[in-house]
Each structure stands twice: as structure tokens, then as C-alpha cells.
Amino acid sequence: MSEVREFKTESKRLLNLMINSIYTNKEIFLRELISNASDAIDKYHYMSLTEDKLPKKNDYEINLSYDTKKRTFTIKDNGIGMTYDELVNSLGTIAKSGSLEFMEKLKDEKNKDKIDVDIIGQFGVGFYSAFMVANKVEVKTRSLYDTKAYKFVSEGEETYTIDEIEKEDSGTEITLYLRKSSDEYDYDKFLDEWTIKSLVKQYSDYIRYPIKMEVTKSVKKEGTENEYEDKKEIEILNAMTPIWKKNKNDVTDEEYNNFYMQKYYDYKEPLFHILLNVEGKVNYTALLYVPSVAPYNLYSEKYEKGLQLYSKGVFIMDKCKELVPDYFRFVKGLVDSSDLSLNISRELLQKSKELKEIAENVEKKLVSKLENLMKNDFDTYLKFFEVFGINLKFGVYDEFGAKKDLLKDLIIYHTTNQEKMISLKEYVEAMPKDQKVIYYASAKNKEQVLAMPQMDLIKKHNYDVLILPDDVDEFLIQILREYDGHKFQSVNQGDLDLLDKDEEEKVKELNTQKKPLLDAMKEALKDEVSDVVISKRLTDSAVCLVSTDGVSFEMEKVLNQMPNANGDVKAGRILELNPNHELFKAIEDVYLKEPQEIANLADLLYNQALLVEGFPIKNPVEFSKKMCDLIIKASK
Ligand code: ADP
């Protein structure tokens, strides 16, 4: 008597999407099922090496067969198999939550039922792809750890059944009852020897276990000259050598790229790859890829960084996070080492000296590859930096700057005076002799920076200014403190130090001379600013706001947006006035004639300066009323 079970809701909806063929490239079901079979054998092999009691095997294989009459296609492996619970949990549920939501979103966006993006494997829904070509799927499986075997059958609708069956060995056998061919799609091609052979070659050539199938061969009839007869024989369809074990010169970039796309479920070619063959203290091969687009969930908590780990070609684990630092979390690939023991626990393995050594080397190689690109192929570097640069910025800032010296030369910025993005090193090299510090401004683009009142004097000097586009940038600058002996200086913070002695003296004098006015304004703004002063940086604009040393305006904004912020981070504010501007004279006039008005003017100027800095004004209604009063007064 079959036990009938219902698919989990999520799975039901996903199945539905699959069946209604959101994906046009149906043939990849074969790649998905072969990949699952290979994983299952990997697991068996790993277990048999680490657990003494388990039977050893040397006949691992994945077997393909088809029946043209019944219109079935079967894939069989002698891997680890599934227990009853595993069957229910793995095939009755979608392993990775969030995948369905994402697929549905994609579907909505395109507003049609076809998606040309290979997203299937990316979300661990590989098995379900069988329903793209089959209207009934039968899974017979027996776990290495169980004496009982089970049969799972589903027609891709609400329910599936599970029955106990007899099965001699551990492993899994999946039979697909193919859909009927129509004008729209030829499902019969999966009953064709040649098609299957070429699909395996195309998608699964690198699989390390033999993929076997009975094929028909034309052979010379015995005792005849040129008479031929068809003979059935078992053929291994894949080359089997893992791509990372092949000689670099025998593998094309296209092959490396295809391997990446199949193995790491990307629909785009990677930006570049690195193959490392290291013989030394620790021997290993590493094949590393930098994608050309960021994985969709790269910045979510669920994202797992890491490289696949193999020991002498035996798969150990999927995402070994110890192998890449956080700032390289987007790097995909694998490490295969002959010096890692299989017989130790994951915990110990993760602490192993060998693993540490490999990780350090991988990190160094990645950094030097990036340095190399920056020097010799800047266009590719730009593409890289656009997608992943922010990770490097976090890398500089993270762990109190532990990696800052390693990474600082990989950071590039736009600047106000140059067309191309440049590194800090290039900035410093291009500095005129009289420029002491590195100027920067937080902004999204050049226009924004050039329009800042605080830029007046810097523009006169024609000094270049780094444009910092990201939230993390000012924190990075804080950690670096200086580059090559040159301090960083924000254009709207502290003293710019751009005046000569005479000019300094003049400002000092003016500050004394205009003290009563400045004090009156300061009094009016006493809750908002720490000082009102004659500016040393304005030449054309009338007023500006600068922050005192310490927290900058940008940091104030960023920190107050953090999830747990209560809005109490505040940069110290100084209101600067340009004594040569007409406005200054106008204020002085008002101060002489109607000193009681100065508080209102100070407030207006302050609010204006806030707006220019991208801060909200405190009391918009009051601000607007004061503006109206001013206009009415002017008309009288
Ligand atoms: P993914 O392989 O990405 O986890 P799938 O939907 O393809 O997602 O498979 C779900 C799970 O079902 C696998 O993680 C594995 O535990 C189990 N599974 C699938 N195929 C097999 C197989 N041939 N042998 C053993 N377990 C399998």
C-alpha cells in the first residue's frame, strides 16, 4: 500500500513553474541529474574512506539507459542513496528557501513564462528539472546506512507516493517518463543515442566517475571482408579527468569557462580564472574564478562563501569558508590537495596548518592577479572593480585595518580632475609639489563635488579631489589615515590649510574685527553649531557648513542609518562665512540697523547650508515662514 504525501507548498509552486517550462533549455535536466549522481558517489567514497566499517568499492559508475517503447530515460548511480527521511526532505521539499521567491520574481519581471537565465541549479532545485521533460518521475533508492529501500513516484502534481521496495545495493535510480513530443518540443531526442552522447560530452565531460551507456557499434562481421553488423557494447561517454588536473596548455579558456558555468551555476562567463599548481610545503591545485556578475544574494546573510575542497581528487566539502577571506567572498572555485587527510573531522580539518597555508597563498595569488590586471589590462580591472570593488573596500576597513597594506593599492576612485579612475598611488604621484594632503569629498559624482561651496579655494589651486561614492569610503580613509606620508583631508572638514601667512593673519584680524556679529550669530545658533567663523576656504560662495575633526557629515549620515541607530551621532558643525561676498555685507548692514533680526538671518543661512550638505532642515514649516517674511519685507 503506497503512502501518499503532499509536496510542501513551496515545492508545489516551484514544480508548477518547472512544468510550465519557465526555462527553455530543457536538456540541462541531464546535467542536473548526473551532477546529483556524481555528488552521491562522492559522498559514498568519502564515507568509505573515513569510516572503516563501510564496504570499499572501486566500481563507481553512473549508468544511462533508455527504452524507446516505454519512452523512459533512466539514470542510475551506486552512490550513497537516500533514507526515507532524506527522500522526503530532499525531494519533497525545496532545500534552499528563497529560491522560489526569486524565480517567481524573475518571472514577473519578464512578464512571460520563459526565462533565458540559467537559474535552476543555482537554487538547489536541480532534481525538479526532471519535470521539464517528464510527466512522471520514479526514484528508487537505498541508503548506505539503511537495509530498506524506497520508491518515490510523482507526476509533478500535488502529491507523491512512497513505497518500500527491494534493492540490493546502495544508490539511486531515477526513471523519467518522457512527455509527448509536439511541434513545440521534441522530447523523443532523449531516446536517441547520439543526442545523449553529445549532451554528456557538452555538459558532463569532466565528471570524475564513468558515465556509461550501452551503445550500438557497427563492427566488421567475423570472417568477412567488408560486411558489417550492429553490436551492442557499453561505452564510457565522458573523459573523466577533472579539468583542474589537465595540463593548462591542453585546455582552452572556453573549456575553463564552461566548467565554471556548469559547476557554479552561472549563466555568464567568468571575468577571469586562475589555475595554481603549487608544489612546496603543501602541494595543491587551485582553480579560482571571479564571476562577471555578483551572485544575486552576495550581500545577504544566507550567502555562503568558500571554495570546494578535494583531497587527491576526492570531494571533501562544498563551501570551505576558511579558504577565502570575507572580502573575496565572491570568488568561486576549488582546491585539490594531496596533503589534506581525509580521515580527520571537519573541525580539525578547518584548523589544519595545511589549510591555512593554502588559504594564505590563494589570497596572495588573487591579490597579485588583481594588481597585474590593474597594470596590464585596466579595462578588465575596471569591470571587476565596478562589481566587486566595494568588497575590497570592506577588506581594507575590516578587522581594524589588518589587511590595509595588502589591499590599499587595489582601490580606485574617480577624481575631479581626471577622466579615468585612479589609485591612491597615482593620485600621490600626480600631486603638485606645493600640495601636502590628499583631498577627498563624499559624493556620487564629479558635478556634485565641483558644486560644493567648500571647493572654492581648492578649485583655485587646481588640486585634484578624490570622489568617494560609497558609505564605507570614509571609514576606509579613517583606517588608512595617510598614504605615502600624505594625510587625507576632507574638503568639508577641519582646516584646509591653504592660506599663506598674510592671508591667515587677515582672517584672524577679521575674526576679531567682526566678533560682535559672529557672536550674535553664534548665540542664535547655539544649539546647532559650535562656532560661526570667517571662512578660510570660500572665495565665491557665501556660506558653508564644515564639520569639526572627528565624525564627518558623511559618517553622521551613515551611522544614523544603521539598523540600531537612534540618531544621536552628530558631527560637530561650524558655519563659515565668506567676508568678501556681498551677502556678508548685507548681513552686516542688517546687524547695524536691526540687530534683533540677526537671529532669523542666522537661522535661514544655517538651514540653507544644511540643505547644501544634504541634511534635512530641522523645522521646514518655520523655515518656509521665515523665507516668506523675508520676501515680503524685501518688497516693501
Ligand atoms: P541540490 O543538488 O542542489 O541540493 P536537488 O534538488 O538536485 O538540489 O537535490 C536535492 C537533494 O536530493 C540533494 O542535495 C541530495 O541530498 C538528494 N539527491 C538528489 N539526487 C540524489 C542521488 N542521485 N543520490 C542521493 N541523493 C540525491
Side-chain angles (χ1 to χ4, degrees):
M1 183 62 198
S2 301
E3 183 195 359
V4 180
R5 297 184 63 116
E6 244 185 85
F7 281 109
K8 287 261 164 64
T9 329
E10 257 210 343
S11 310
K12 267 192 235 170
R13 282 163 52 209
L14 189 65
L15 266 170
N16 216 297
L17 282 175
M18 284 286 178
I19 291 162
N20 293 319
S21 187
I22 57 165
Y23 189 71
T24 45
N25 194 9
K26 294 171 194 280
E27 63 199 30
I28 60 103
F29 85 91
L30 184 59
R31 170 188 93 191
E32 297 297 317
L33 298 186
I34 288 179
S35 158
N36 280 350
S38 166
D39 288 350
I41 298 177
D42 269 343
K43 285 178 196 159
Y44 186 108
H45 189 47
Y46 177 75
M47 290 305 173
S48 74
L49 291 177
T50 48
E51 289 179 33
D52 287 342
K53 293 184 293 292
L54 291 178
K56 306 276 178 281
K57 255 196 218 186
N58 52 11
D59 61 344
Y60 296 118
E61 64 173 61
I62 298 164
N63 211 288
L64 307 182
S65 58
Y66 54 91
D67 183 326
T68 43
K69 285 208 188 75
K70 290 194 192 136
R71 300 189 71 258
T72 57
F73 178 87
T74 301
I75 164 168
K76 187 175 161 188
D77 66 67
N78 53 2
I80 196 162
M82 283 175 271
T83 61
Y84 178 90
D85 286 348
E86 281 165 351
L87 246 187
V88 172
N89 288 331
S90 302
L91 305 188
T93 331
I94 294 177
K96 291 164 198 156
S97 63
S99 46
L100 177 75
E101 199 186 322
F102 183 72
M103 287 178 80
E104 284 194 331
K105 198 170 138 255
L106 269 185
K107 190 180 161 205
D108 287 349
E109 271 168 15
K110 303 233 164 170
N111 209 15
K112 48 178 152 146
D113 47 19
K114 280 186 184 153
I115 297 183
D116 47 17
V117 175
D118 183 355
I119 48 172
I120 287 179
Q122 196 173 349
F123 306 106
V125 290
F127 168 75
Y128 287 77
S129 67
F131 288 100
M132 295 197 302
V133 298
N135 47 23
K136 180 172 149 189
V137 177
E138 206 177 85
V139 181
K140 293 178 183 164
T141 188
R142 178 172 153 189
S143 165
L144 172 63
Y145 298 102
D146 203 345
T147 47
K148 287 181 185 163
Y150 300 93
K151 183 169 89 174
F152 160 110
V153 181
S154 170
E155 302 196 2
E157 282 159 10
E158 302 278 297
T159 55
Y160 55 92
T161 58
I162 296 187
D163 289 277
E164 212 179 303
I165 53 162
E166 291 295 317
K167 191 174 182 308
E168 221 163 272
D169 296 321
S170 83
T172 303
E173 180 179 330
I174 301 180
T175 299
L176 311 185
Y177 291 79
L178 295 173
R179 292 171 183 277
K180 266 215 181 74
S181 287
S182 69
D183 291 346
E184 275 180 29
Y185 201 87
D186 172 26
Y187 296 97
D188 284 14
K189 69 179 176 190
F190 304 118
L191 301 170
D192 172 62
E193 183 182 308
W194 186 85
T195 308
I196 297 167
K197 271 166 98 166
S198 55
L199 284 178
V200 170
K201 264 276 169 242
Q202 187 185 349
Y203 291 118
S204 311
D205 202 38
Y206 63 87
I207 293 285
R208 289 176 305 119
Y209 305 104
I211 303 170
K212 294 183 181 172
M213 188 168 78
E214 190 180 74
V215 297
T216 317
K217 285 222 166 127
S218 204
V219 287
K220 235 184 228 159
K221 245 185 181 167
E222 249 177 75
T224 67
E225 264 301 304
N226 46 10
E227 270 184 66
Y228 286 83
E229 64 179 353
D230 282 350
K231 241 188 156 175
K232 301 264 183 210
E233 72 183 53
I234 300 284
E235 189 177 292
I236 295 175
L237 308 183
N238 55 329
M240 288 202 306
T241 316
I243 195 165
W244 63 93
K245 290 272 185 201
K246 288 186 185 166
N247 189 321
K248 227 185 244 194
N249 302 329
D250 297 339
V251 186
T252 62
D253 278 349
E254 198 189 344
E255 284 171 309
Y256 280 123
N257 290 352
N258 281 340
F259 173 77
Y260 162 79
M261 291 194 284
Q262 289 159 32
K263 187 110 174 161
Y264 303 107
Y265 308 122
D266 200 346
Y267 57 93
K268 277 219 163 124
E269 288 189 348
L271 205 53
F272 58 86
H273 72 264
I274 308 175
L275 182 70
L276 302 175
N277 262 314
V278 179
E279 282 173 33
K281 244 195 291 176
V282 185
N283 300 303
Y284 67 92
T285 304
L287 179 55
L288 312 169
Y289 291 94
V290 168
S292 52
V293 283
Y296 82 104
N297 58 351
L298 183 62
Y299 302 109
S300 84
E301 267 175 41
K302 287 199 187 115
Y303 182 82
E304 286 178 76
K305 65 160 184 169
L307 303 176
Q308 288 185 316
L309 189 61
Y310 291 79
S311 164
K312 297 186 199 81
V314 179
F315 173 82
I316 301 183
M317 70 172 90
D318 203 26
K319 298 242 162 96
C320 179
K321 59 181 194 299
E322 285 75 14
L323 281 171
V324 276
D326 263 350
Y327 65 83
F328 278 144
R329 67 213 311 264
F330 51 85
V331 175
K332 308 254 165 136
L334 57 91
V335 164
D336 188 350
S337 170
S338 50
D339 293 326
L340 292 174
S341 161
L342 278 172
N343 289 307
I344 57 172
S345 69
R346 278 183 188 212
E347 287 70 31
L348 277 179
L349 178 77
Q350 284 161 358
K351 282 187 204 134
S352 89
K353 268 209 282 286
E354 288 78 12
L355 202 70
K356 243 193 214 120
E357 167 90 20
I358 297 173
E360 274 168 23
N361 221 343
V362 162
E363 181 179 15
K364 261 192 245 150
K365 290 286 183 202
L366 281 165
V367 168
S368 76
K369 169 78 183 181
L370 291 174
E371 284 168 348
N372 198 295
L373 275 183
M374 206 171 170
K375 236 197 259 152
N376 303 319
D377 182 3
F378 193 68
D379 282 347
T380 306
Y381 191 74
L382 263 184
K383 277 189 208 151
F384 162 79
F385 199 81
E386 240 166 60
V387 186
F388 299 115
I390 194 152
N391 292 279
L392 299 186
K393 290 177 177 181
F394 275 108
V396 172
Y397 167 71
D398 210 15
E399 296 176 56
F400 308 102
K403 294 285 165 67
K404 66 180 180 185
D405 287 328
L406 183 69
L407 299 177
K408 67 182 179 200
D409 288 324
L410 290 176
I411 308 295
I412 51 175
Y413 287 113
H414 280 292
T415 72
T416 50
N417 294 359
Q418 306 205 39
E419 282 305 314
K420 88 184 229 298
M421 293 179 89
I422 58 167
S423 65
L424 297 172
K425 191 159 176 242
E426 287 169 303
Y427 179 97
V428 167
E429 280 167 2
M431 267 165 61
K433 276 228 166 63
D434 64 337
Q435 185 185 343
K436 300 281 173 294
V437 295
I438 301 170
Y439 293 104
Y440 68 89
S442 287
K444 288 289 166 241
N445 56 47
K446 198 180 280 201
E447 289 68 36
Q448 265 180 17
V449 179
L450 292 175
M452 289 168 74
Q454 294 93 338
M455 285 287 293
D456 281 0
L457 202 51
I458 294 173
K459 278 193 282 193
K460 292 253 147 55
H461 281 272
N462 201 26
Y463 290 154
D464 205 1
V465 177
L466 297 176
I467 303 167
L468 275 42
D470 294 315
D471 285 355
V472 64
D473 282 317
E474 284 208 10
F475 296 90
L476 172 154
I477 294 279
Q478 287 269 317
I479 284 280
L480 287 181
R481 304 174 83 111
E482 55 159 48
Y483 186 91
D484 210 7
H486 301 279
K487 287 219 160 65
F488 288 99
Q489 171 67 54
S490 162
V491 301
N492 63 358
Q493 187 167 30
D495 194 342
L496 286 190
D497 221 1
L498 279 176
L499 303 183
D500 60 31
K501 251 199 181 142
D502 287 353
E503 291 166 324
E504 283 280 351
E505 209 42 54
K506 226 160 133 196
V507 172
K508 220 173 175 183
E509 246 168 59
L510 269 174
N511 268 319
T512 324
Q513 210 180 335
K514 309 292 179 192
K515 193 165 188 308
L517 168 65
L518 298 174
D519 280 351
M521 292 181 78
K522 195 173 154 182
E523 173 61 24
L525 298 173
K526 65 173 187 285
D527 294 336
E528 307 300 330
V529 304
S530 60
D531 214 351
V532 179
V533 299
I534 298 294
S535 177
K536 289 197 228 170
R537 73 186 89 207
L538 296 176
T539 60
D540 300 331
S541 316
V543 292
C544 73
L545 212 52
V546 304
S547 60
T548 50
D549 290 332
V551 178
S552 71
F553 291 148
E554 211 42 43
M555 289 180 169
E556 173 181 328
K557 285 175 212 162
V558 175
L559 293 173
N560 285 333
Q561 274 165 12
M562 301 279 217
N564 294 324
N566 45 13
D568 58 1
V569 177
K570 208 170 167 199
R573 289 155 162 67
I574 297 174
L575 186 67
E576 293 193 355
L577 305 176
N578 178 354
N580 303 316
H581 197 280
E582 248 187 291
L583 181 102
F584 189 78
K585 301 191 174 77
I587 305 172
E588 278 197 296
D589 264 3
V590 173
Y591 183 60
L592 284 176
K593 288 183 203 143
E594 303 171 85
Q596 76 282 5
E597 281 297 313
I598 210 68
N600 275 339
L601 286 190
D603 191 54
L604 276 171
L605 288 177
Y606 172 68
N607 276 311
Q608 249 194 60
L610 278 182
L611 284 175
V612 172
E613 286 310 313
F615 284 112
I617 47 182
K618 251 195 152 170
N619 189 337
V621 176
E622 197 185 296
F623 178 71
S624 155
K625 190 173 166 300
K626 281 182 183 167
M627 280 291 274
C628 292
D629 288 349
L630 198 71
I631 296 167
I632 294 166
K633 211 168 160 198
S635 75
K636 278 184 185 155

